[in-house]
């Protein structure tokens, strides 16, 4: 993977400089369009209901004008009561239409909010889980979770409420404005001029609110990242008695989020106050002029009543739009953050036209490395592997040994194509692994990692993770091969026993045997064992070792190991140091050589003798 890609992903997702960068005020909301397009019909239904509800609302002032002029005006006569009755009956009919249209609008937009939010969460999560490990080297899990949960909730509020409210109030504003001019062009011209002068400071202040909204969301994400990191390391935190320190660190992060949120809330409160004072001040002034016009006889009481109601509708629409604008600006910030995740691209992708793997051979897969050189993206100046050449034959068991940092685990990362080397090729059964579909490549490889991952599920499902379609009998058989069946049977509910988050209810050796059972169930042609017996006691190691020997039959096995008991059984031992292969041979030939392996073996024999002496 290129370094530029990784640094780009890092800058795009997490850096403070990027967070502070200002983008178009509400332009980011356009990024939601692909998620909204599939539901055009539902939007059309909501739009129709919206127009009907707005029309019903705008009809109310006209009805009041008729009631005032016909029922109470200077020309009112014996039929005034009939006119009043008719107007109120019409008003009730308008109210029924308004209620039905509002209910239909509320249901439609609420459904859209829930549906679109669910789609966005799924799309972001699907995209994130396809990223390479380089992405997670530079991105905190808590940050990603905050964006998937908190930010999508803000978007839900906009899609499910704010868009509808904005459109409704824009219709009311436009319709009310037209009716104001129909009622009194002179007063309307004055009020529009005043409103233009009041909107300018509101818009300027709104930009500050948007920046504070984005900052507030980032501080919440920071707090989530801190909490996630600590909760995943509680045994270490408690072992070093850092509970108080970590509580203070999280408290400081939360207080930072609170302070930023309060700045946003204060700015929103000031914006709302400014909008109400300026807008209603302008309207009150114009209505004062209208009242004098009625007194002078140039305007009827019904016209003034209608003008007041339409002015109230226009003012209410402006106030609601300023409120909605604040929500929309928060959602724009949330959308930016989600789109940043969606824009993070991984170079580790399946090829457009993948090559198939040859049919599986009876004795496993062949693995070839040709002049492989690799630098981790986070450490571009240090070569983890340098010009490595290796040819592993089908059915061969190869042990890789060497001091810490020699590049052993890096080889496994490259075999699984978690990363691509900057130079050289890796071939599986003669096919460059970059030309194989990722699913096919990783399906052909089973791995038992040094740090076993146990999921929050029962023992049966944890082992079945190796092959989703496996039967219970196949799972149990794999557990027996991995010497896990007996301890699982002793659990309170056997294979249905919940193992706790990250397997906290199991010992290290038990977790390791679950991982081995998972790999055996997968039954791949290539098996990678990364310190597979490192967490086992002597008895468990003996049981698992015999199981692994049986599992190695008919497949190629590559083992990272320090224990000589494991290494000595290998067909060939590869000795690595500083990212290079420095020695190759069997245990006996390498000990006789007197090089790196001989020193490692002597050190281990010395430790074994010391342990026996103290025992």
């Amino acid at each position: 993977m290129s370094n530029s890609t990784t640094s780009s992903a890092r800058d795009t997702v997490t850096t403070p400089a990027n967070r502070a960068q200002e983008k178009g005020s509400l332009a980011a909301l356009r990024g939601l369009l692909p998620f909204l397009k599939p539901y055009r019909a539902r939007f059309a239904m909501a739009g129709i209901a919206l127009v009907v509800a707005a029309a019903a609302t705008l009809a109310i002032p006209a009805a009041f004008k008729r009631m005032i002029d016909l029922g109470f005006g200077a020309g009112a006569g014996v039929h005034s009561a009939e006119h009043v009755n008719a107007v109120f009956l019409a008003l009730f009919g308008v109210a029924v239409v308004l209620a039905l249209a509002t209910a239909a609008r509320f249901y439609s937009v609420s459904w859209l909010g829930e549906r679109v939010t669910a789609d966005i969460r799924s799309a972001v999560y699907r995209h994130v889980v396809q990223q390479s490990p380089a992405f997670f080297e530079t991105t905190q899990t808590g940050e990603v979770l905050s964006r998937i949960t908190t930010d999508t909730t803000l978007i839900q509020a906009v899609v499910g409420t704010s868009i509808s409210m904005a459109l409704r109030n824009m219709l009311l504003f436009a319709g009310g404005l037209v009716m104001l001019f129909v009622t009194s062009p002179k007063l309307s011209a004055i009020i529009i001029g005043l409103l233009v002068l009041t909107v300018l400071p509101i818009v300027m202040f709104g930009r500050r609110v948007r920046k504070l909204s984005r900052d507030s969301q980032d501080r919440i994400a920071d707090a989530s990242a801190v909490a996630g990191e600590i909760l995943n390391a509680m045994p270490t935190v408690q072992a070093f008695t850092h509970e108080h320190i970590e509580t203070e660190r999280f408290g400081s992060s939360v207080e930072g989020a609170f302070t930023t949120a309060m700045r946003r809330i204060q700015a929103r409160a000031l914006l709302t106050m400014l909008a109400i004072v300026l807008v209603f001040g302008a309207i009150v002034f114009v209505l004062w002029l209208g009242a004098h016009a009625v007194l002078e006889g140039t305007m009827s009481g019904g016209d003034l009543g209608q003008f007041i109601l339409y002015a109230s509708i226009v003012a209410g629409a402006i106030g609601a739009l300023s409120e909605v604008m604040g929500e929309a600006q928060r959602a724009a910030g949330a959308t930016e953050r989600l789109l940043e995740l969606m824009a993070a691209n991984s170079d580790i992708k399946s090829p457009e036209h993948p090559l198939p793997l040859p049919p599986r051979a009876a004795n496993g897969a062949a693995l070839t490395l040709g002049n492989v050189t690799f630098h981790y993206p986070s450490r571009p100046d240090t070569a983890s592997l340098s010009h490595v050449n290796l040819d592993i034959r089908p059915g061969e068991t190869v042990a890789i040994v060497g001091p810490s940092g020699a590049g052993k685990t890096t080889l496994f990362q490259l075999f699984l194509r978690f990363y691509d080397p900057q130079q050289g090729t890796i071939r599986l059964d003669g096919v460059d692994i970059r030309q194989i579909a990722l699913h096919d490549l990783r399906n052909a490889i089973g791995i038992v990692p040094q740090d076993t991952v146990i999921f929050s599920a029962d023992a049966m499902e944890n082992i079945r993770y190796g092959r989703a379609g496996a039967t219970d009998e196949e799972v149990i058989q794999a557990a027996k091969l991995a010497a896990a069946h007996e301890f699982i049977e002793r659990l309170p509910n056997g294979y249905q026993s919940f193992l706790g988050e990250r397997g906290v209810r199991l010992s290290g050796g038990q977790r390791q045997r679950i991982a081995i059972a998972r790999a055996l169930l997968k039954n791949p042609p290539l098996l990678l064992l990364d310190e597979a017996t490192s967490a086992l006691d002597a008895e468990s190691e003996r049981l698992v070792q015999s199981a692994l020997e049986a599992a190695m039959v008919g497949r190629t096995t590559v083992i990272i190991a320090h224990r000589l008991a494991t290494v000595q059984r290998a067909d060939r031992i590869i000795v690595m140091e500083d990212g290079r292969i420095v020695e190759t041979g069997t245990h006996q030939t390498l000990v006789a050589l007197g090089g790196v392996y001989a020193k490692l073996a002597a050190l281990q024999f010395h430790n074994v003798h010391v342990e026996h002496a103290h025992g």
Side-chain angles (χ1 to χ4, degrees), residues 104-322:
R105 174 188 63 82
F106 172 77
Y107 176 81
S108 296
V109 298
S110 296
W111 185 93
L112 283 166
E114 296 288 348
R115 181 67 268 165
V116 169
T117 302
D119 290 350
I120 290 173
R121 282 180 177 147
S122 296
V124 172
Y125 188 77
R126 182 168 56 249
H127 184 75
V128 167
V129 298
Q130 291 173 349
Q131 297 303 304
S132 70
F135 174 86
F136 297 99
E137 277 185 40
T138 53
T139 306
Q140 291 178 300
T141 305
E143 171 90 7
V144 175
L145 291 176
S146 172
R147 297 189 187 197
I148 292 175
T149 53
T150 307
D151 291 350
T152 50
T153 301
L154 291 174
I155 291 172
Q156 178 182 355
V158 168
V159 176
T161 304
S162 299
I163 289 178
S164 167
M165 293 293 292
L167 292 174
R168 174 178 177 272
N169 285 288
M170 282 192 283
L171 286 174
L172 291 177
F173 175 79
L177 207 57
V178 170
M179 293 307 297
L180 282 177
F181 276 96
V182 169
T183 306
S184 175
K186 177 185 174 183
L187 292 180
S188 300
I190 294 172
I191 200 171
I192 292 304
L194 290 173
L195 286 177
V196 169
L197 292 176
T198 61
V199 164
L200 288 175
I202 292 172
V203 170
M204 296 289 290
F205 202 70
R207 292 178 179 174
R208 172 171 167 75
V209 172
R210 179 179 177 275
K211 183 180 183 305
L212 289 171
S213 297
R214 168 108 190 194
D215 290 343
S216 177
Q217 289 155 231
D218 285 334
R219 298 293 80 73
I220 292 170
D222 290 342
S224 297
V226 170
E229 180 184 17
I230 298 309
L231 291 176
N232 283 327
M234 279 313 297
T236 303
V237 171
Q238 292 173 349
F240 285 91
T241 64
H242 272 226
E243 295 94 335
H244 180 66
I245 294 172
E246 297 301 345
T247 300
E248 286 188 348
R249 187 157 77 99
F250 180 70
S252 175
S253 183
V254 169
E255 283 302 313
F258 171 76
T259 302
T260 307
M262 288 310 301
R263 286 205 299 270
R264 172 182 60 80
I265 291 168
Q266 288 167 1
R268 283 281 303 277
L270 286 172
L271 178 62
T272 304
M273 181 186 73
L274 186 68
I276 292 173
V277 169
L278 292 177
V279 171
F280 277 91
I283 290 171
V284 167
F285 173 71
V286 172
L287 293 182
W288 175 75
L289 295 176
H292 278 275
V294 172
L295 292 175
E296 294 166 2
T298 58
M299 191 177 192
S300 72
D303 283 336
L304 180 59
Q306 177 173 291
F307 191 88
I308 290 172
L309 288 173
Y310 280 126
S312 299
I313 288 173
V314 169
I318 292 173
L321 283 170
S322 70

Side-chain angles (χ1 to χ4, degrees), residues 67-78:
M67 181 189 71
I68 293 171
D69 285 346
L70 297 176
F72 307 111
V78 294

Side-chain angles (χ1 to χ4, degrees), residues 335-380:
T335 303
E336 282 179 1
R337 288 157 51 84
L338 286 167
L339 292 178
E340 284 169 0
L341 277 183
M342 295 292 286
N345 287 318
S346 170
D347 274 4
I348 306 298
K349 297 177 182 176
S350 288
E352 288 186 15
H353 305 289
L355 298 178
L357 280 168
R360 178 172 176 173
N363 57 344
L367 191 63
T368 306
L369 284 76
N371 199 34
V372 170
T373 297
F374 174 70
H375 302 250
Y376 279 102
S378 57
R379 304 189 297 275

Side-chain angles (χ1 to χ4, degrees), residues 42 58 68 94 179 393 448 461 492 502 553 590:
R42 186 76 66 161
L58 291 170
I68 293 171
V94 170
M179 293 307 297
R393 298 180 295 276
V448 180
E461 292 309 311
R502 291 177 284 115
V553 176
L590 291 175

Side-chain angles (χ1 to χ4, degrees), residues 12 28-29 47 89 113 127 243 356 425 447 494 516 543 557 615:
T12 301
L29 291 176
L89 189 62
H127 184 75
E243 295 94 335
T425 58
I447 184 166
I516 293 169
L543 293 169
T557 308

